[in-house]
Amino acid sequence: MTDLRQDDLRRGFDAAAADFTALGSYLWDPIGAAMVAIAAPAEGARVLDACCGTGASALPAARRVGPHGAVDAVDVSGPLIDELRRRSTGLPQLRGHRADVTTWTGADYDVVQCALGIFFFPDMTAGTEHLISRARPGGRVALTIWRGDAMAAAGHHLGRAVAEATNTPALGQRPPSLIDRINQADSYAAWLAERGLTDVDVTVEERHLTMSPEVAWLVILGSGYRAALVKLSPDVVEGVRERYLASLRADGVTELDATTLIGSGHRP
Ligand SMILES: C[S@@+](CC[C@H](N)C(=O)[O-])C[C@H]1O[C@@H](n2cnc3c(N)ncnc32)[C@H](O)[C@@H]1O
């Protein structure tokens, strides 16, 4: 992803709420369901769903734990939590909280899960260790990240389009960071073991998104990429959309790699 500041990212997610749900059926929901199948919360379990968005993994977890369980779903974005609450009618065991999960004090969860969130933490290592510490001893932890350059093509073409539409130099690639060193199955497993997880396993979930023009634009509107648009007027955003789609066409991009790594293990 290109270099975006934390507050821009937050505003991007806030603005994305409705589109986030729309993109969910293509992307977030299957990715969340795959993680929940691995986290496998039992009926009656207590679950922490960190960086919950609009509930792609919190909703299926709430259905699994049933009315005698509880799911605390935590996200910094108020509009995403509002959308999650709308989607969770009839599931009183699912409680949405607007909070920074890296300082969440709830503890002793049977399952701690986080889909596509830990790489947004300003200190990814400390934030992940905090999540692991929220599980009870012996509790299950499942943390999903993108594999390698998954999703990067969308960011590349968006960056190009924003630069052209605003007549400004393209945003530089963000400097290499920890996530770039651990985004393959082996390196991710080793890093999770260093964080103190036992029985670590990493499942590769191959996923490819067919980039019709509608889906390709939804990938921007309904994700963290939305942050690149928050300061632009509607006219300029329309120019970005046209240039982005033209740029994808020119490079023959018809599919987007959306493969994830689901890391799991237990808190000792
Ligand atoms: C790519 S979205 C994934 C959302 C959801 N897990 C899903 O799979 O649909 C990343 C989410 O992480 C949230 N987030 C980032 N940093 C956070 C933090 N420190 N505490 C809570 N939520 C955070 C963002 O607001 C955003 O909703």
Side-chain angles (χ1 to χ4, degrees), residues 60-77:
R63 289 187 198 104
R64 277 185 79 121
V65 302
H68 301 299
V71 177
D72 285 324
V74 181
D75 201 286
V76 278
S77 165

Side-chain angles (χ1 to χ4, degrees), residues 6 13 20 28 31-32 49-57 74-77 80 99-102 114-117 119-122 224:
Q6 286 283 320
F13 279 119
F20 200 93
W28 313 127
I31 288 173
D49 189 290
C51 306
C52 61
T54 60
S57 50
V74 181
D75 201 286
V76 278
S77 165
L80 293 189
D100 178 349
V101 79
T102 62
C114 180
L116 305 172
F119 43 79
F120 288 116
F121 298 157

Side-chain angles (χ1 to χ4, degrees), residues 22-86:
L23 180 59
S25 56
Y26 299 98
L27 202 58
W28 313 127
D29 295 350
I31 288 173
M35 180 181 72
V36 173
I38 284 175
E43 216 179 316
R46 288 185 68 232
V47 177
L48 172 62
D49 189 290
C51 306
C52 61
T54 60
S57 50
L59 286 160
R63 289 187 198 104
R64 277 185 79 121
V65 302
H68 301 299
V71 177
D72 285 324
V74 181
D75 201 286
V76 278
S77 165
L80 293 189
I81 290 293
D82 290 344
E83 183 74 13
L84 170 129
R85 289 190 181 128
R86 270 193 289 279

